[in-house]
Amino acid sequence: MKRTARTAVSALVVAGLALGLGACSEAAEKAVDQVDKSVTEPYEVTYEVGGKGVESIEYHAGDGTAMAPKVESEKKPTLPWKKTVKLHGIMPPAVMPMALSPAGLTCKIIYQGKVIKEAEGEKAMAGGCVAVSPVVG
């Protein structure tokens, strides 16, 4: 290959790499912006618990961090119980009813009018309702 042809090909390769890296940089910036938004964006969920013999209800109330959310508790709640809380970012919504018996026990997490997680009976008693943050997806 002649020297001028090699120089032209080299220039094209360098220009292509620069354009490709610029596009990757833009994509990386957008990804970082999305992560930042996901970590801080506030959202509201409503927890609902129903049944009989519920001794207490524990739930994520919005304080703390996504990895260590503050858990609040309500003792001897009046049923059916309903609570709306403001969470943020990747913090998972979670509600855990503690009951004497799983018979008739229910829990739900509602986001923008849609049930995003629900459990009944043994499942509600064993693990409650825990959902993935709706602002992540």
Side-chain angles (χ1 to χ4, degrees):
M1 194 183 275
K2 291 188 175 188
R3 184 179 182 133
T4 51
R6 271 194 303 245
T7 303
V9 168
S10 296
L12 285 173
V13 168
V14 170
L17 284 173
L19 287 174
L21 290 175
C24 287
S25 177
E26 250 180 66
E29 278 185 45
K30 286 181 183 179
V32 168
D33 289 345
Q34 182 62 37
V35 168
D36 286 346
K37 182 179 177 185
S38 293
V39 170
T40 60
E41 184 177 347
Y43 68 96
E44 283 188 353
V45 294
T46 300
Y47 301 130
E48 292 182 1
V49 173
K52 295 180 183 175
V54 175
E55 294 294 311
S56 67
I57 300 170
E58 294 184 347
Y59 58 95
H60 292 174
D63 292 329
T65 65
M67 298 307 289
K70 180 180 178 191
V71 176
E72 291 196 12
S73 183
E74 186 150 336
K75 305 290 184 206
K76 299 280 186 186
T78 302
L79 299 175
W81 178 85
K82 188 179 203 180
K83 178 94 173 177
T84 299
V85 297
K86 185 179 275 189
L87 303 175
H88 55 277
I90 60 174
M91 181 178 286
V95 60
M96 175 71 159
M98 307 292 181
L100 299 174
S101 168
L105 184 63
T106 63
C107 63
K108 289 182 185 179
I109 301 173
I110 301 164
Y111 173 69
Q112 295 183 343
K114 295 178 183 169
V115 175
I116 59 173
K117 188 70 174 186
E118 66 182 313
E120 295 180 2
E122 291 285 338
K123 289 182 181 179
M125 193 165 171
C129 290
V130 180
V132 173
S133 168
V135 300
V136 173

